[in-house]
Structure formats: C-alpha cells, structure tokens
Amino acid sequence: MERSFIMAKPDAVQRRFVAEIIRRFETRGLRLVGMKLIHPSRELAEAHYAVHRERPFFNDLVEFITSGPVVAMVWEGKDIITVTRTMIGATNPVNAAPGTIRGDLAIEMGNNLVHGSDALETAEKEIALWFTPSELLP
C-alpha cells in the first residue's frame, strides 16, 4: 500500500471542515495511519514549501500555513496520490470540479482548504517532515 501526506489547512480548521475532509477519504476506502493537530512553526512551513522558495508567493504560503492550526494526516491506499489529488480537486477552486473537496467547499486559491502530496517521492519527504515513524500505524 502507498501512503500520502494530506493536510487540512488553517482555513479548513477555522471553517470546521476537518471532519468532512476525513469523511470523504474514509468513505473512499482509504486508511488513516497518522493524524495530529499542530500549529506549524515558520521553520516547518518553510521546509514544507521549500520547492517554492524562489517563487513570489512563497512568503504568502508560509504566512498562511502558520496563521493557525492544521491537521496533518497520513493516508494509505492503492494509487493513493492519484486518488487523493482527484478527490481534492484543482488548486484553484474556480477550476475544481463539483464533487471534489475544493470544488464543493473552497472559496479562493489562497485558501483552498487542503494539501495533498503530488508524487510518492514528495509524500515520503512530507511524511518524514511532519511525522516520526512512531506516530504512524504499521
């Protein structure tokens, strides 16, 4: 089974959509193997978004993700990256299909509720950044 890192961002926590996000993944048959509520430090946020460091929106990403608590999760399932990214929807909620998390619940690109790993290699790095092995189910 493959694993992916999923994060309910500060706007999802604030708008009380965490349970809805979890429900959608569970209903799909995915297995939750790790979860924690955390208020990310600037250092953690910068490490998470390091790939975007040279982009003009980097500081906005870091400021947003550190603006409040997030729910960091690790999900497991077959074809997990494709499945979760399809369920999450396009980055810009305007382009997200109805039935996706962003298509149904998100309002704007900057506050798009949820992050999902974009590749298995990325997932491994993100999981290691946010979780210790002892925080995950076998």
Side-chain angles (χ1 to χ4, degrees):
M1 283 290 150
E2 301 166 337
R3 290 184 171 185
S4 184
F5 176 75
I6 303 291
M7 175 176 33
K9 296 179 181 180
D11 55 329
V13 174
Q14 180 185 22
R15 294 179 61 206
R16 300 179 183 182
F17 284 142
V18 174
E20 173 64 15
I21 291 166
I22 291 170
R23 183 194 65 77
R24 287 178 183 227
F25 290 129
E26 285 183 328
T27 299
R28 185 65 186 256
L30 302 176
R31 179 175 176 243
L32 182 62
V33 296
M35 180 171 71
K36 61 182 163 182
L37 179 70
I38 181 173
H39 194 140
S41 67
R42 183 164 187 87
E43 295 76 24
L44 178 57
E46 287 179 354
H48 179 79
Y49 287 120
V51 67
H52 300 301
R53 187 172 302 280
E54 301 305 317
R55 300 213 174 149
F57 54 84
F58 176 74
N59 282 327
D60 291 337
L61 286 174
V62 171
E63 290 298 320
F64 173 61
I65 213 68
T66 59
S67 69
V70 303
V71 178
M73 299 174 276
V74 178
W75 288 87
E76 185 178 81
K78 186 176 185 312
D79 298 320
I80 192 79
I81 302 298
T82 302
V83 169
T84 55
R85 290 190 59 89
T86 299
M87 291 176 67
I88 290 168
T91 302
N92 186 342
V94 171
N95 301 325
T100 65
I101 294 167
R102 290 178 178 152
D104 292 349
L105 307 173
I107 298 168
E108 60 186 72
M109 187 151 156
N111 297 343
N112 61 10
L113 301 175
V114 64
H115 164 85
S117 300
D118 62 3
L120 288 174
E121 299 78 25
T122 308
E124 288 176 9
K125 291 176 187 172
E126 291 174 342
I127 291 167
L129 181 65
W130 290 83
F131 290 89
T132 63
S134 65
E135 293 175 310
L136 302 172
L137 296 176

Short mmCIF file of all heavy atoms in Angstrom, two decimals, residues 25-81:
data_model
loop_
_atom_site.label_atom_id
_atom_site.label_comp_id
_atom_site.label_asym_id
_atom_site.label_seq_id
_atom_site.Cartn_x
_atom_site.Cartn_y
_atom_site.Cartn_z
N PHE A 25 -12.36 10.88 2.61
CA PHE A 25 -11.29 9.91 2.39
C PHE A 25 -11.66 8.54 2.96
O PHE A 25 -11.39 7.52 2.33
CB PHE A 25 -9.97 10.40 2.99
CG PHE A 25 -9.36 11.56 2.24
CD1 PHE A 25 -8.96 12.70 2.91
CD2 PHE A 25 -9.17 11.51 0.87
CE1 PHE A 25 -8.40 13.77 2.24
CE2 PHE A 25 -8.60 12.57 0.17
CZ PHE A 25 -8.22 13.70 0.87
N GLU A 26 -12.29 8.51 4.13
CA GLU A 26 -12.71 7.23 4.71
C GLU A 26 -13.77 6.56 3.85
O GLU A 26 -13.73 5.35 3.63
CB GLU A 26 -13.23 7.43 6.13
CG GLU A 26 -12.12 7.67 7.14
CD GLU A 26 -12.63 7.79 8.57
OE1 GLU A 26 -13.76 8.27 8.78
OE2 GLU A 26 -11.88 7.40 9.47
N THR A 27 -14.73 7.34 3.36
CA THR A 27 -15.80 6.80 2.52
C THR A 27 -15.22 6.18 1.26
O THR A 27 -15.72 5.17 0.75
CB THR A 27 -16.81 7.91 2.17
OG1 THR A 27 -17.38 8.40 3.39
CG2 THR A 27 -17.92 7.38 1.28
N ARG A 28 -14.14 6.75 0.76
CA ARG A 28 -13.48 6.24 -0.44
C ARG A 28 -12.76 4.93 -0.17
O ARG A 28 -12.36 4.22 -1.09
CB ARG A 28 -12.51 7.31 -0.98
CG ARG A 28 -11.86 6.98 -2.29
CD ARG A 28 -12.88 6.91 -3.42
NE ARG A 28 -12.28 6.46 -4.64
CZ ARG A 28 -11.97 7.24 -5.67
NH1 ARG A 28 -12.22 8.52 -5.62
NH2 ARG A 28 -11.42 6.73 -6.73
N GLY A 29 -12.56 4.60 1.10
CA GLY A 29 -11.91 3.34 1.44
C GLY A 29 -10.44 3.48 1.79
O GLY A 29 -9.73 2.48 1.92
N LEU A 30 -9.97 4.72 1.96
CA LEU A 30 -8.58 4.93 2.33
C LEU A 30 -8.42 4.73 3.84
O LEU A 30 -9.38 4.85 4.60
CB LEU A 30 -8.14 6.34 1.92
CG LEU A 30 -8.28 6.64 0.43
CD1 LEU A 30 -7.90 8.08 0.13
CD2 LEU A 30 -7.44 5.68 -0.40
N ARG A 31 -7.20 4.44 4.26
CA ARG A 31 -6.92 4.15 5.67
C ARG A 31 -6.09 5.27 6.28
O ARG A 31 -5.00 5.59 5.78
CB ARG A 31 -6.17 2.83 5.77
CG ARG A 31 -5.79 2.43 7.18
CD ARG A 31 -5.13 1.04 7.18
NE ARG A 31 -4.70 0.71 8.51
CZ ARG A 31 -3.42 0.51 8.85
NH1 ARG A 31 -2.46 0.60 7.94
NH2 ARG A 31 -3.10 0.21 10.09
N LEU A 32 -6.58 5.84 7.36
CA LEU A 32 -5.87 6.88 8.09
C LEU A 32 -4.85 6.20 8.99
O LEU A 32 -5.20 5.38 9.83
CB LEU A 32 -6.85 7.70 8.93
CG LEU A 32 -6.28 8.87 9.73
CD1 LEU A 32 -5.64 9.91 8.83
CD2 LEU A 32 -7.39 9.50 10.57
N VAL A 33 -3.55 6.52 8.80
CA VAL A 33 -2.50 5.86 9.58
C VAL A 33 -1.74 6.83 10.49
O VAL A 33 -0.88 6.42 11.25
CB VAL A 33 -1.51 5.07 8.68
CG1 VAL A 33 -2.24 3.93 7.98
CG2 VAL A 33 -0.82 5.97 7.68
N GLY A 34 -2.06 8.11 10.40
CA GLY A 34 -1.43 9.10 11.28
C GLY A 34 -2.18 10.41 11.19
O GLY A 34 -2.64 10.79 10.12
N MET A 35 -2.32 11.08 12.35
CA MET A 35 -3.02 12.36 12.35
C MET A 35 -2.62 13.15 13.59
O MET A 35 -2.49 12.58 14.67
CB MET A 35 -4.53 12.15 12.35
CG MET A 35 -5.33 13.44 12.36
SD MET A 35 -7.10 13.20 12.11
CE MET A 35 -7.57 12.47 13.66
N LYS A 36 -2.42 14.46 13.41
CA LYS A 36 -2.19 15.33 14.55
C LYS A 36 -2.57 16.76 14.23
O LYS A 36 -2.47 17.20 13.08
CB LYS A 36 -0.74 15.25 15.04
CG LYS A 36 0.32 15.65 14.03
CD LYS A 36 1.70 15.47 14.67
CE LYS A 36 2.80 15.45 13.65
NZ LYS A 36 4.11 15.22 14.26
N LEU A 37 -3.04 17.45 15.25
CA LEU A 37 -3.34 18.86 15.18
C LEU A 37 -2.08 19.60 15.60
O LEU A 37 -1.53 19.32 16.67
CB LEU A 37 -4.51 19.20 16.12
CG LEU A 37 -4.94 20.66 16.17
CD1 LEU A 37 -5.60 21.07 14.85
CD2 LEU A 37 -5.91 20.87 17.33
N ILE A 38 -1.62 20.52 14.75
CA ILE A 38 -0.37 21.21 15.03
C ILE A 38 -0.44 22.63 14.49
O ILE A 38 -1.04 22.87 13.44
CB ILE A 38 0.82 20.44 14.40
CG1 ILE A 38 2.15 21.12 14.69
CG2 ILE A 38 0.63 20.22 12.92
CD1 ILE A 38 3.37 20.32 14.24
N HIS A 39 0.14 23.56 15.22
CA HIS A 39 0.30 24.93 14.73
C HIS A 39 1.74 25.00 14.20
O HIS A 39 2.68 25.07 14.98
CB HIS A 39 0.08 25.94 15.86
CG HIS A 39 -0.10 27.32 15.35
ND1 HIS A 39 -1.01 28.18 15.89
CD2 HIS A 39 0.49 28.01 14.35
CE1 HIS A 39 -0.97 29.33 15.26
NE2 HIS A 39 -0.05 29.24 14.32
N PRO A 40 1.90 24.94 12.88
CA PRO A 40 3.25 24.83 12.30
C PRO A 40 4.12 26.05 12.61
O PRO A 40 3.66 27.19 12.57
CB PRO A 40 3.01 24.74 10.79
CG PRO A 40 1.57 24.43 10.63
CD PRO A 40 0.88 24.96 11.84
N SER A 41 5.38 25.77 12.89
CA SER A 41 6.36 26.83 13.06
C SER A 41 6.74 27.37 11.68
O SER A 41 6.50 26.71 10.65
CB SER A 41 7.61 26.29 13.75
OG SER A 41 8.27 25.35 12.89
N ARG A 42 7.35 28.52 11.66
CA ARG A 42 7.83 29.09 10.40
C ARG A 42 8.84 28.14 9.75
O ARG A 42 8.83 27.94 8.54
CB ARG A 42 8.42 30.47 10.62
CG ARG A 42 8.85 31.12 9.33
CD ARG A 42 9.07 32.63 9.45
NE ARG A 42 9.32 33.20 8.13
CZ ARG A 42 8.38 33.60 7.29
NH1 ARG A 42 7.11 33.52 7.63
NH2 ARG A 42 8.68 34.09 6.11
N GLU A 43 9.71 27.56 10.56
CA GLU A 43 10.73 26.64 10.04
C GLU A 43 10.11 25.42 9.37
O GLU A 43 10.55 25.01 8.28
CB GLU A 43 11.68 26.19 11.17
CG GLU A 43 12.51 27.31 11.77
CD GLU A 43 11.73 28.23 12.71
OE1 GLU A 43 10.69 27.82 13.28
OE2 GLU A 43 12.16 29.39 12.86
N LEU A 44 9.09 24.85 10.00
CA LEU A 44 8.41 23.70 9.42
C LEU A 44 7.72 24.09 8.12
O LEU A 44 7.81 23.38 7.11
CB LEU A 44 7.40 23.12 10.41
CG LEU A 44 6.56 21.93 9.94
CD1 LEU A 44 7.44 20.76 9.49
CD2 LEU A 44 5.61 21.49 11.04
N ALA A 45 7.04 25.23 8.12
CA ALA A 45 6.35 25.70 6.91
C ALA A 45 7.33 25.96 5.78
O ALA A 45 7.07 25.60 4.63
CB ALA A 45 5.54 26.95 7.23
N GLU A 46 8.45 26.59 6.09
CA GLU A 46 9.46 26.86 5.05
C GLU A 46 10.04 25.56 4.50
O GLU A 46 10.28 25.45 3.29
CB GLU A 46 10.56 27.76 5.61
CG GLU A 46 10.10 29.19 5.80
CD GLU A 46 11.18 30.10 6.37
OE1 GLU A 46 12.27 29.61 6.73
OE2 GLU A 46 10.92 31.32 6.46
N ALA A 47 10.26 24.59 5.36
CA ALA A 47 10.76 23.29 4.89
C ALA A 47 9.73 22.59 4.01
O ALA A 47 10.05 22.00 2.98
CB ALA A 47 11.14 22.41 6.08
N HIS A 48 8.46 22.67 4.42
CA HIS A 48 7.39 22.03 3.65
C HIS A 48 7.26 22.63 2.25
O HIS A 48 7.08 21.92 1.28
CB HIS A 48 6.06 22.16 4.40
CG HIS A 48 4.91 21.55 3.67
ND1 HIS A 48 4.68 20.20 3.67
CD2 HIS A 48 3.96 22.11 2.89
CE1 HIS A 48 3.62 19.95 2.92
NE2 HIS A 48 3.16 21.08 2.44
N TYR A 49 7.36 23.95 2.17
CA TYR A 49 7.20 24.64 0.89
C TYR A 49 8.54 25.00 0.24
O TYR A 49 8.59 25.86 -0.64
CB TYR A 49 6.36 25.90 1.07
CG TYR A 49 4.89 25.61 1.30
CD1 TYR A 49 4.24 26.02 2.46
CD2 TYR A 49 4.15 24.93 0.34
CE1 TYR A 49 2.90 25.76 2.66
CE2 TYR A 49 2.81 24.66 0.53
CZ TYR A 49 2.19 25.08 1.68
OH TYR A 49 0.85 24.80 1.88
N ALA A 50 9.63 24.35 0.62
CA ALA A 50 10.97 24.67 0.12
C ALA A 50 11.05 24.67 -1.41
O ALA A 50 11.77 25.49 -1.99
CB ALA A 50 12.00 23.71 0.70
N VAL A 51 10.29 23.82 -2.05
CA VAL A 51 10.31 23.74 -3.51
C VAL A 51 9.85 25.06 -4.15
O VAL A 51 10.21 25.37 -5.29
CB VAL A 51 9.46 22.55 -4.02
CG1 VAL A 51 7.99 22.76 -3.74
CG2 VAL A 51 9.70 22.28 -5.49
N HIS A 52 9.10 25.86 -3.41
CA HIS A 52 8.59 27.14 -3.92
C HIS A 52 9.39 28.34 -3.42
O HIS A 52 8.99 29.48 -3.65
CB HIS A 52 7.12 27.33 -3.49
CG HIS A 52 6.21 26.26 -4.01
ND1 HIS A 52 6.04 26.00 -5.35
CD2 HIS A 52 5.42 25.37 -3.34
CE1 HIS A 52 5.18 25.00 -5.49
NE2 HIS A 52 4.79 24.60 -4.30
N ARG A 53 10.51 28.11 -2.76
CA ARG A 53 11.28 29.18 -2.11
C ARG A 53 11.57 30.36 -3.02
O ARG A 53 11.53 31.50 -2.59
CB ARG A 53 12.58 28.63 -1.53
CG ARG A 53 13.33 29.66 -0.70
CD ARG A 53 14.52 29.07 0.03
NE ARG A 53 14.19 27.98 0.92
CZ ARG A 53 13.69 28.11 2.15
NH1 ARG A 53 13.44 29.29 2.62
NH2 ARG A 53 13.44 27.05 2.89
N GLU A 54 11.86 30.12 -4.27
CA GLU A 54 12.23 31.20 -5.19
C GLU A 54 11.03 31.84 -5.89
O GLU A 54 11.18 32.79 -6.65
CB GLU A 54 13.21 30.68 -6.25
CG GLU A 54 14.51 30.13 -5.65
CD GLU A 54 15.22 31.13 -4.75
OE1 GLU A 54 15.30 32.32 -5.12
OE2 GLU A 54 15.71 30.71 -3.68
N ARG A 55 9.86 31.36 -5.61
CA ARG A 55 8.65 31.90 -6.26
C ARG A 55 8.12 33.10 -5.47
O ARG A 55 8.27 33.16 -4.25
CB ARG A 55 7.60 30.81 -6.38
CG ARG A 55 8.11 29.66 -7.22
CD ARG A 55 7.02 29.03 -8.00
NE ARG A 55 7.56 28.03 -8.89
CZ ARG A 55 6.90 26.95 -9.25
NH1 ARG A 55 5.70 26.73 -8.77
NH2 ARG A 55 7.43 26.11 -10.08
N PRO A 56 7.47 34.02 -6.15
CA PRO A 56 6.99 35.24 -5.47
C PRO A 56 5.94 34.99 -4.40
O PRO A 56 5.78 35.80 -3.50
CB PRO A 56 6.43 36.10 -6.61
CG PRO A 56 6.28 35.19 -7.79
CD PRO A 56 7.21 34.04 -7.59
N PHE A 57 5.24 33.86 -4.46
CA PHE A 57 4.17 33.58 -3.49
C PHE A 57 4.66 32.78 -2.28
O PHE A 57 3.86 32.44 -1.40
CB PHE A 57 3.00 32.85 -4.17
CG PHE A 57 3.41 31.60 -4.90
CD1 PHE A 57 3.55 30.39 -4.24
CD2 PHE A 57 3.62 31.62 -6.28
CE1 PHE A 57 3.91 29.23 -4.91
CE2 PHE A 57 3.98 30.47 -6.97
CZ PHE A 57 4.12 29.27 -6.27
N PHE A 58 5.96 32.47 -2.21
CA PHE A 58 6.50 31.65 -1.12
C PHE A 58 6.14 32.21 0.26
O PHE A 58 5.64 31.49 1.12
CB PHE A 58 8.02 31.51 -1.25
CG PHE A 58 8.67 30.77 -0.12
CD1 PHE A 58 8.53 29.39 0.00
CD2 PHE A 58 9.41 31.45 0.85
CE1 PHE A 58 9.13 28.70 1.04
CE2 PHE A 58 10.00 30.76 1.90
CZ PHE A 58 9.87 29.39 2.00
N ASN A 59 6.40 33.49 0.49
CA ASN A 59 6.13 34.07 1.81
C ASN A 59 4.64 34.03 2.15
O ASN A 59 4.28 33.82 3.30
CB ASN A 59 6.68 35.50 1.90
CG ASN A 59 8.18 35.49 2.12
OD1 ASN A 59 8.72 34.61 2.77
ND2 ASN A 59 8.85 36.48 1.56
N ASP A 60 3.79 34.23 1.14
CA ASP A 60 2.34 34.15 1.38
C ASP A 60 1.94 32.74 1.82
O ASP A 60 1.11 32.57 2.72
CB ASP A 60 1.56 34.55 0.14
CG ASP A 60 1.67 36.03 -0.19
OD1 ASP A 60 1.99 36.82 0.74
OD2 ASP A 60 1.44 36.39 -1.35
N LEU A 61 2.53 31.71 1.19
CA LEU A 61 2.25 30.33 1.58
C LEU A 61 2.65 30.08 3.03
O LEU A 61 1.89 29.51 3.81
CB LEU A 61 3.03 29.35 0.69
CG LEU A 61 2.57 29.12 -0.73
CD1 LEU A 61 3.56 28.24 -1.47
CD2 LEU A 61 1.19 28.49 -0.76
N VAL A 62 3.86 30.53 3.37
CA VAL A 62 4.37 30.32 4.73
C VAL A 62 3.52 31.07 5.74
O VAL A 62 3.15 30.51 6.79
CB VAL A 62 5.86 30.73 4.81
CG1 VAL A 62 6.35 30.75 6.25
CG2 VAL A 62 6.71 29.81 3.95
N GLU A 63 3.18 32.31 5.44
CA GLU A 63 2.35 33.10 6.36
C GLU A 63 0.99 32.44 6.57
O GLU A 63 0.49 32.37 7.69
CB GLU A 63 2.17 34.53 5.83
CG GLU A 63 3.43 35.38 5.89
CD GLU A 63 3.96 35.58 7.29
OE1 GLU A 63 3.16 35.78 8.22
OE2 GLU A 63 5.19 35.52 7.45
N PHE A 64 0.40 31.97 5.49
CA PHE A 64 -0.92 31.35 5.60
C PHE A 64 -0.87 30.07 6.43
O PHE A 64 -1.67 29.86 7.33
CB PHE A 64 -1.51 31.07 4.22
CG PHE A 64 -2.79 30.29 4.27
CD1 PHE A 64 -3.90 30.79 4.93
CD2 PHE A 64 -2.88 29.05 3.68
CE1 PHE A 64 -5.08 30.06 5.00
CE2 PHE A 64 -4.05 28.31 3.75
CZ PHE A 64 -5.16 28.82 4.41
N ILE A 65 0.08 29.20 6.12
CA ILE A 65 0.12 27.90 6.78
C ILE A 65 0.49 28.01 8.26
O ILE A 65 0.16 27.13 9.06
CB ILE A 65 1.04 26.93 6.02
CG1 ILE A 65 0.53 25.50 6.12
CG2 ILE A 65 2.46 27.00 6.47
CD1 ILE A 65 -0.74 25.26 5.40
N THR A 66 1.13 29.12 8.64
CA THR A 66 1.47 29.34 10.05
C THR A 66 0.44 30.22 10.76
O THR A 66 0.61 30.54 11.93
CB THR A 66 2.87 29.98 10.19
OG1 THR A 66 2.90 31.23 9.49
CG2 THR A 66 3.96 29.06 9.66
N SER A 67 -0.62 30.59 10.08
CA SER A 67 -1.62 31.50 10.65
C SER A 67 -2.55 30.84 11.66
O SER A 67 -3.29 31.52 12.37
CB SER A 67 -2.45 32.15 9.53
OG SER A 67 -3.28 31.19 8.91
N GLY A 68 -2.52 29.53 11.73
CA GLY A 68 -3.38 28.82 12.66
C GLY A 68 -3.07 27.34 12.63
O GLY A 68 -2.20 26.89 11.88
N PRO A 69 -3.78 26.56 13.42
CA PRO A 69 -3.53 25.12 13.44
C PRO A 69 -3.94 24.44 12.14
O PRO A 69 -4.83 24.91 11.43
CB PRO A 69 -4.37 24.61 14.61
CG PRO A 69 -5.39 25.66 14.85
CD PRO A 69 -4.83 26.96 14.35
N VAL A 70 -3.24 23.35 11.85
CA VAL A 70 -3.56 22.49 10.71
C VAL A 70 -3.73 21.07 11.24
O VAL A 70 -3.29 20.75 12.35
CB VAL A 70 -2.45 22.52 9.63
CG1 VAL A 70 -2.20 23.93 9.13
CG2 VAL A 70 -1.16 21.88 10.13
N VAL A 71 -4.37 20.22 10.46
CA VAL A 71 -4.45 18.81 10.79
C VAL A 71 -3.61 18.07 9.76
O VAL A 71 -3.95 18.01 8.58
CB VAL A 71 -5.91 18.30 10.80
CG1 VAL A 71 -5.94 16.80 11.10
CG2 VAL A 71 -6.72 19.05 11.84
N ALA A 72 -2.47 17.57 10.24
CA ALA A 72 -1.55 16.82 9.39
C ALA A 72 -1.96 15.35 9.45
O ALA A 72 -2.22 14.82 10.54
CB ALA A 72 -0.12 16.99 9.89
N MET A 73 -2.03 14.72 8.28
CA MET A 73 -2.50 13.33 8.21
C MET A 73 -1.68 12.51 7.22
O MET A 73 -1.14 13.06 6.26
CB MET A 73 -3.97 13.29 7.75
CG MET A 73 -4.93 13.99 8.67
SD MET A 73 -6.62 14.07 7.98
CE MET A 73 -6.49 15.53 6.94
N VAL A 74 -1.63 11.23 7.47
CA VAL A 74 -1.05 10.28 6.53
C VAL A 74 -2.14 9.28 6.21
O VAL A 74 -2.74 8.68 7.10
CB VAL A 74 0.20 9.58 7.10
CG1 VAL A 74 0.74 8.56 6.09
CG2 VAL A 74 1.27 10.60 7.47
N TRP A 75 -2.39 9.14 4.91
CA TRP A 75 -3.42 8.21 4.43
C TRP A 75 -2.74 7.13 3.60
O TRP A 75 -1.72 7.38 2.95
CB TRP A 75 -4.45 8.95 3.58
CG TRP A 75 -5.34 9.82 4.40
CD1 TRP A 75 -5.11 11.11 4.78
CD2 TRP A 75 -6.59 9.45 4.97
NE1 TRP A 75 -6.15 11.56 5.55
CE2 TRP A 75 -7.08 10.57 5.68
CE3 TRP A 75 -7.35 8.29 4.95
CZ2 TRP A 75 -8.29 10.56 6.37
CZ3 TRP A 75 -8.57 8.27 5.62
CH2 TRP A 75 -9.03 9.40 6.32
N GLU A 76 -3.35 5.95 3.59
CA GLU A 76 -2.81 4.80 2.89
C GLU A 76 -3.87 4.21 1.98
O GLU A 76 -5.05 4.17 2.33
CB GLU A 76 -2.38 3.78 3.94
CG GLU A 76 -1.68 2.56 3.41
CD GLU A 76 -1.25 1.64 4.54
OE1 GLU A 76 -2.11 0.88 5.03
OE2 GLU A 76 -0.08 1.72 4.94
N GLY A 77 -3.42 3.76 0.80
CA GLY A 77 -4.34 3.11 -0.13
C GLY A 77 -3.69 2.85 -1.47
O GLY A 77 -2.59 3.33 -1.75
N LYS A 78 -4.38 2.13 -2.30
CA LYS A 78 -3.91 1.83 -3.65
C LYS A 78 -4.00 3.09 -4.50
O LYS A 78 -5.00 3.80 -4.46
CB LYS A 78 -4.76 0.71 -4.25
CG LYS A 78 -4.28 0.21 -5.58
CD LYS A 78 -5.14 -0.96 -6.05
CE LYS A 78 -4.68 -1.61 -7.31
NZ LYS A 78 -4.36 -0.76 -8.41
N ASP A 79 -2.94 3.37 -5.26
CA ASP A 79 -2.88 4.56 -6.13
C ASP A 79 -3.22 5.84 -5.35
O ASP A 79 -3.94 6.71 -5.83
CB ASP A 79 -3.82 4.40 -7.33
CG ASP A 79 -3.45 3.23 -8.22
OD1 ASP A 79 -2.23 3.02 -8.44
OD2 ASP A 79 -4.36 2.53 -8.68
N ILE A 80 -2.70 5.94 -4.13
CA ILE A 80 -3.08 6.99 -3.19
C ILE A 80 -2.89 8.40 -3.74
O ILE A 80 -3.74 9.27 -3.50
CB ILE A 80 -2.32 6.80 -1.85
CG1 ILE A 80 -2.89 7.71 -0.76
CG2 ILE A 80 -0.83 7.07 -2.00
CD1 ILE A 80 -4.14 7.22 -0.14
N ILE A 81 -1.83 8.65 -4.46
CA ILE A 81 -1.59 10.02 -4.96
C ILE A 81 -2.67 10.42 -5.95
O ILE A 81 -3.28 11.47 -5.82
CB ILE A 81 -0.18 10.15 -5.59
CG1 ILE A 81 0.91 9.78 -4.57
CG2 ILE A 81 0.02 11.53 -6.17
CD1 ILE A 81 0.98 10.65 -3.34
#
